[in-house]
Amino acid sequence: MNGALGELGAIRALANGKVRLRRDGEGEEAIVVEDVSKRFRIPRQKKATFYDHLLGVVRGGSYTYEVFSALEGVSFSVRRGETFGVIGPNGCGKSTLLKILAGVLYPDSGRVRIEGKVAPFLELGVGFHPELTAIENIRLYGAIMGLSRHQIEGKREEILEFADLKRFESMKLKNFSSGMYVKLAFATAIEADPDILLVDEVLSVGDEAFQKKCAPKIEDIRRAGKTIVYVSHALGSVRDLCERCILLNSGRIVDLGGADWVVDEYYKMMDHP
Ligand SMILES: Nc1ncnc2c1ncn2[C@@H]1O[C@H](COP(=O)(O)OP(=O)(O)OP(=O)(O)O)[C@@H](O)[C@H]1O
């Protein structure tokens, strides 16, 4: 177990609780991303109308696609309990990466290993359904996250209160404004007691009062030793919250390191594109 301690020393350390045995599925790393690439196919021709579209098919499928590489050879790992930032200019692949971590998108190549329960909190509100009411969505999300019916009912009021949506608990999600939607999604995600929280830029959609409530909540989650992957253009909050981060540009990692340093490198990149 530990060469330097010797066998007896190692057993003593274990007995004294100074070292912990590693159980299956329990490692230093919560997330390991290895050489991940993701490509999208973008149609070359624009079909203005359905008729144009049909004509294209009848004439022998004039369909050609351009392959666009959204992520290329991306590798990094996030330690258990770490708050890890993902920054970079618009369209550099941040959300695509988060969707891959959430299991919403699959990479074309490479591997992703996640250890723990992931609560995605993305722009799409993964795990939410527009035809269901707020309460039904809370139950659905809770069930997806493996909470019992009893646990979900216990958290229901807290979620609605934090999101300030008690009055709208029986309204279908499709009638929610985007801000209301984000509030419900965030409140539900954090109450689902995740090991890993994926936070995309979406928080900025909530009003100022809600954003003020969210920042300390994220800090609480961080202090509780949870792993957070935080995608943001708000570089000040990335510096404050994250220990390390990656800078993406055109789908590739250009810098990986301490958050302060990587944010500085991003500023330099913006000054000299
Ligand atoms: N489903 C898709 N089909 C085709 N292209 C896509 C798809 N999803 C994303 N892309 C493209 O992949 C690239 C990366 O998009 P992504 O949303 O990951 O960027 P981002 O870094 O999150 O951008 P932003 O900061 O603007 O939110 C973009 O050029 C985008 O147009």
Side-chain angles (χ1 to χ4, degrees), residues 40 42 68 70 89-96 233:
F40 292 111
I42 303 165
F68 175 80
N90 289 132
C92 70
K94 301 181 296 296
S95 300
T96 304
H233 287 286

Side-chain angles (χ1 to χ4, degrees), residues 194-241:
D195 302 308
I196 301 169
L197 187 67
L198 306 176
V199 186
D200 206 342
E201 197 66 51
V202 273
L203 279 183
S204 54
V205 178
D207 53 37
E208 210 178 316
F210 185 70
Q211 283 184 35
K212 275 194 183 137
K213 279 207 274 190
C214 287
K217 204 75 189 178
I218 292 180
E219 188 57 38
D220 286 350
I221 295 170
R222 208 168 77 90
R223 288 224 183 92
K226 309 285 180 168
T227 309
I228 302 176
V229 179
Y230 183 60
V231 169
S232 185
H233 287 286
L235 300 177
S237 70
V238 171
R239 273 194 212 269
D240 291 345
L241 284 173

Side-chain angles (χ1 to χ4, degrees), residues 38-43 66 68-71 86-99 105 123 200-201 231-233 248 250-251 266:
K38 178 73 192 173
R39 290 169 201 109
F40 292 111
R41 288 199 316 166
I42 303 165
E66 194 178 325
F68 175 80
S69 188
L71 292 174
V86 179
I87 59 173
N90 289 132
C92 70
K94 301 181 296 296
S95 300
T96 304
L97 176 62
L98 227 59
K99 284 175 194 164
L105 282 179
E123 54 190 315
D200 206 342
E201 197 66 51
V231 169
S232 185
H233 287 286
L248 285 174
S250 304
Y266 185 25

Side-chain angles (χ1 to χ4, degrees), residues 29-37 71-78 84 86 97-98 100-101 107 109-114 229 246 253 256:
E29 277 127 3
I31 299 171
V32 179
V33 175
E34 284 172 1
D35 205 16
V36 160
S37 296
L71 292 174
E72 199 61 54
V74 169
S75 299
F76 64 92
S77 58
V78 181
F84 191 88
V86 179
L97 176 62
L98 227 59
I100 288 175
L101 297 182
S109 59
R111 255 164 47 100
V112 175
R113 205 180 75 225
I114 307 264
V229 179
I246 52 174
I253 293 184
L256 188 168

